[in-house]
Structure formats: structure tokens, C-alpha cells
Amino acid sequence: MPLDIIVGTQWGDEGKGRIVDLLAAEADAVARYSGGDNAGHTVTVGDQIFKLHLIPSGVVHPHAQAFIGNGVVINPATLLSEIEQIQQAGIEVHPQRLFISYAAHLITAGHLALDRAQEAARGKAKIGTTLRGIGPAYTDKVARRGLRLELMRDEKRFVAALREHFETVNQLLQRLYQEEALDVEPLITEYVGYAQAIKPYIADVSALIAEALAGGKRVLAEGAQGTLLDLDHGTYPFVTSSYPTAPGALLGLGLGAACVDRVIGVTKAFQTRVGAGPFPTEVFDQTANHLRGSGANPWDEFGTTTGRPRRVGWLDLVLLRYAIRVNGISELALTKLDILSGFNEIKLCVAYQADDHSYQIPPFGPTELDSFKPVYQVLAGWKEEIRSCRRWEDLPLNARQYIRTIEEACQVPIKRISVGPERKDVIVLA
Ligand code: IMP
């Protein structure tokens, strides 16, 4: 059964939206399986730019059904405003096209307030979260006091659950963080209003996708964030609170493992991260300015969700090999290769060094990375602008060498290379 999973191999922002866009054209359905509106997917269609945080970005293909799975946490205000944004662009979104799992959890104003209070209380040790309430919403889920979407189908139960939730939040805000309490009653009215609008979209996503797959339909599971932000497999504690890795797609959509066809890892041609945490190949100064851009262009390295400048560095093959292992990646897509044009030399981190040992993969996962020194292979750069390249042969020799070096080091084929911001700026390899 044909389920394709797209995962980010780095710290998010790999340009997954571009690859999703390509593959969604051939898919019957697209699905989000983890995270919430902390993600930001920018998809450019002609002169329209969509910035989506929650709804699967493949929704811009009008033929595809869209699903949001049980692994996702949903801010109802964001959901409704995205539905409106897409509708205003002339693309239909309605309850026969978008299906949201009854078991997905809600993010409330209480979770947003707690995210802010917790980050402030962490002081210097702050994670640098997106302040979207993600951590507190997943905390409530694991603590078995979360608000599942199914509650929205029964107003009486929903109101009672909301009241209990906001009262607990207020206790925490006041007693633990010395913050002001939230005004509960207007919030209850607000959330009951959201329930009216969202109720028609609530569905059994696991059953619907399983049925689609059994009928031979191709489903694309769209990863958000990236492997190194995975709660278990990322750079803990500088991670998000969900499972962006490929197994998270099965868990977050309610599917068994037998349906997986391809796991496509998306890797930027260099490394970026927003927020705090280890970053062995980070660079500064001129090189960083080149990689990051000035912020004048939509593709420059500034957060889609928060607008923060991203930290940048050379591609880290040690972490990429690790991501290939924990996701079971069968093929790679390389994005933003065009940004590397103009460097005299390009570095690739091929190993880590600590004491007298060289490591191909971090020995205890990617948590304690500060003690390792990156070992670089220095490759010759290229000066040519490559945005108009459409075939492998069109790429400068040194760019081809760069790609071959990555493939050889990872033993996984690179099948798609994005060379510019437009939909058409891509090289597809056999
Ligand atoms: P949270 O997911 O808002 O709790 O943030 C936890 C960490 O994950 C922070 O370092 C965020 O910057 C990072 N993060 C969360 N979502 C994304 C994303 O979509 N792209 C890049 N970084 C993200």
C-alpha cells in the first residue's frame, strides 16, 4: 500500500514544502501527522505565496484530499484563519475535503500563556520555543488531561472540560509562575464558537486513510519540523514536544508499518537552526551572511513562524547519516543548492573528532555534541548561477561533485534537487 513519508533530516526548515508540492501533484491525499502551528511551510504557486502552519501544504493541489492526524496539536484560531486564507485564494476547503482526527489535541490560550511563562522562567536555559503553546499542549496530552477534538462534538462536556482546563492553567500561572490569571468565561465563549466551526471537519482519520490506501490511493504524509527536533531522537532538551521522524507518521495518523512505500528525507544543502541547542558546523561572519541572506527575499533564512534569523552552517553528514538511520530514509531530496553558488570553497562535515576517535555517527545520539570537533572535507565551489538548470548535465561540475560526495558518504540516492524558489526550479533524477 502506497504511503510516502516526507521527513526533514535537520532542525526543520529544510524546504519540505517544495518537495511536498512536487509529490502532492501525484498523490491522492496529503496528511499532517505531528506538531502544530510551530511549523511554517511556504509554497509558491505562480505569484501566490502560501504560508501555512497547520494545514498540510499539499492542500494547494485542489485534487488532493487533506488530513490532519491524531499526532497533531491544533490551535483552532490558526486552523480557521488558514482555511479562510486558502478559500480566499480560490482553492476549495470544506468538510468533504479536509478531515481532522477526533483524537488530535487542542492548543488553548492557556497553553500559549504557559509556554511564555515557562520560557521566561527558564532564563538563560531557555529552549527558544516558537511560543505557540506546543510543549504545554503535549504535556497535557501525556498527563491525560488534554482536550481532544472529539470533545467539541458535545458542547456540555466541552464546556466542563474547558472550565477545568483553564482553572488548572490559572493555578499554574499564579502559583508557580506568579503571572496573572486568564479570564475564563470569555475564553469559554470563544472556544465554543471555534467548536461550532470545526465540528464538521472532525473525522476518523486513521480509518479514512487506511481505506484510501486499501483502495490503492497514494497518500503523502508531510513531516513538520525535523529529525533533530524529535522529542526522543533530537538534540534533547532543545527539541520540540512531538515525533517528526518517519515512525511518528504511523503513530500520528493511526497506521501500521506495512503501508510504507518510500521515506523521503529532505536535506538543505547546508545546515540551519532556529532556537537554542548544539550546532557543530555553525558559521558566522561573511560565510553566514552568504548562507542566510539579508532577509530581503522570501527564501532568506529567517523563521517563517517567528521571523527570527536562523543560525547557519555547513552541511553535517554525521547528523545526516544518523537521520537516515532513525527514519529509514530510502531517498533524499536536496534543497537550496543555488544558495551555495559563489563560494570559492564549500565545506562538508564528514566526521566528528573527539580525543583520538573519529565518529561517522554520534555515539550516543545528537545530544552531547559540544565535545566533538567537526572534520571537514573541503570541496571546490562554483560561480555559476544554477537556477535555470533542469538536468543533471546542466549543473556545474563542482556542484555535481558536491552532490556525489554526499551520496557516497550516506549511501542513499539523491533523487530531487531544488535549485531555486519557484515550483519549476527543480532537477528530478531517475
Ligand atoms: P516548540 O516546538 O515551539 O516547542 O519549539 C521547540 C524548538 O523547536 C525551538 O528550538 C523551535 O525554534 C524549534 N521549532 C519548532 N518548530 C519548528 C519548525 O517548524 N522549524 C524550525 N524549528 C522549529
Side-chain angles (χ1 to χ4, degrees), residues 177-244:
Y177 301 110
Q178 285 77 50
E179 298 277 346
E180 271 187 31
L182 301 173
D183 193 356
V184 175
E185 291 312 314
L187 283 172
I188 291 182
T189 310
E190 184 182 334
Y191 280 78
V192 167
Y194 294 142
Q196 291 306 321
I198 290 174
K199 218 161 48 174
Y201 293 93
I202 299 173
D204 186 344
V205 164
S206 160
L208 289 172
I209 298 186
E211 192 183 308
L213 289 169
K217 298 267 193 327
R218 189 159 276 278
V219 180
L220 187 65
E222 267 186 53
Q225 288 83 44
T227 304
L228 302 171
L229 290 173
D230 187 275
L231 182 57
D232 283 4
H233 302 295
T235 47
Y236 192 88
F238 300 100
V239 292
T240 191
S241 301
S242 65
Y243 300 104

Side-chain angles (χ1 to χ4, degrees), residues 5 40 52-53 63 95 114 154 162 194 250 264 304-305 318 321 336 351 359 381 401 407 414 417 423 425 428:
I5 305 174
L52 298 175
H53 299 279
H63 74 275
L114 284 173
D154 179 341
L162 281 171
Y194 294 142
L250 302 175
I264 300 151
T304 319
T305 303
V318 176
R321 283 188 210 103
K336 298 191 82 167
Y359 296 92
Q401 190 54 44
E407 277 185 328
I414 294 176
I417 304 160
R423 236 179 188 177
D425 299 337
V428 181

Side-chain angles (χ1 to χ4, degrees), residues 11-13 38-40 127-131 134-135 225 229 239-240 274-276 308:
W11 285 287
D13 308 316
N38 48 349
I127 295 167
T129 75
T130 58
L131 299 177
I134 305 297
Q225 288 83 44
L229 290 173
V239 292
T240 191
V274 278
R308 291 179 287 180

Side-chain angles (χ1 to χ4, degrees), residues 4 21 78 125 132 167 175 188 211 236 312 326 351 355 412:
D4 289 332
D21 188 45
T78 310
R132 298 294 148 115
E167 276 162 14
R175 293 188 183 198
I188 291 182
E211 192 183 308
Y236 192 88
V312 293
V326 296
D355 305 322
V412 170

Side-chain angles (χ1 to χ4, degrees), residues 351-373:
Y352 287 167
Q353 186 78 30
D355 305 322
D356 283 340
H357 292 286
S358 170
Y359 296 92
Q360 298 293 304
I361 286 194
F364 288 99
T367 305
E368 296 291 334
L369 296 181
D370 289 342
S371 53
F372 297 107
K373 270 180 84 80

Side-chain angles (χ1 to χ4, degrees), residues 65-284:
Q65 287 193 314
F67 295 97
I68 300 179
N70 56 277
V72 178
V73 283
I74 294 175
N75 180 326
T78 310
L79 175 71
L80 294 172
S81 85
E82 284 190 3
I83 290 176
E84 202 180 310
Q85 185 200 145
I86 300 163
Q87 284 170 340
Q88 275 173 2
I91 298 169
E92 285 193 22
V93 185
H94 47 69
Q96 282 76 48
R97 178 158 188 243
L98 172 66
F99 306 89
I100 310 175
S101 170
Y102 66 89
H105 280 243
L106 270 184
I107 298 177
T108 70
H111 295 129
L112 293 169
L114 284 173
D115 203 355
R116 282 192 297 272
Q118 287 168 357
E119 275 289 83
R122 286 182 190 116
K124 277 200 178 130
K126 77 175 183 178
I127 295 167
T129 75
T130 58
L131 299 177
R132 298 294 148 115
I134 305 297
Y138 280 114
T139 302
D140 276 354
K141 171 176 172 169
V142 175
R144 295 164 293 187
R145 54 167 188 252
L147 302 165
R148 302 203 327 168
L149 251 66
E150 63 189 341
L151 281 170
M152 288 182 148
R153 289 159 46 84
D154 179 341
E155 190 171 315
K156 223 169 129 194
R157 277 181 65 216
F158 188 43
V159 168
L162 281 171
R163 188 160 286 123
E164 203 178 317
H165 162 73
F166 284 122
E167 276 162 14
T168 307
V169 168
N170 277 345
Q171 296 268 344
L172 289 170
L173 286 175
Q174 290 177 294
R175 293 188 183 198
L176 201 56
Y177 301 110
Q178 285 77 50
E179 298 277 346
E180 271 187 31
L182 301 173
D183 193 356
V184 175
E185 291 312 314
L187 283 172
I188 291 182
T189 310
E190 184 182 334
Y191 280 78
V192 167
Y194 294 142
Q196 291 306 321
I198 290 174
K199 218 161 48 174
Y201 293 93
I202 299 173
D204 186 344
V205 164
S206 160
L208 289 172
I209 298 186
E211 192 183 308
L213 289 169
K217 298 267 193 327
R218 189 159 276 278
V219 180
L220 187 65
E222 267 186 53
Q225 288 83 44
T227 304
L228 302 171
L229 290 173
D230 187 275
L231 182 57
D232 283 4
H233 302 295
T235 47
Y236 192 88
F238 300 100
V239 292
T240 191
S241 301
S242 65
Y243 300 104
T245 41
L250 302 175
L251 211 56
L253 294 173
L255 300 171
C259 58
V260 181
D261 186 11
R262 294 179 290 184
V263 179
I264 300 151
V266 183
T267 298
K268 206 179 276 186
F270 48 99
Q271 209 84 11
T272 65
R273 122 167 260 178
V274 278
F279 188 161
T281 61
E282 185 166 13
V283 295
F284 304 91

Side-chain angles (χ1 to χ4, degrees), residues 29-50:
V30 291
R32 258 297 292 273
Y33 60 85
S34 76
D37 60 344
N38 48 349
H41 291 160
T42 308
V43 186
T44 312
V45 184
D47 54 6
Q48 281 183 315
I49 295 182
F50 293 90

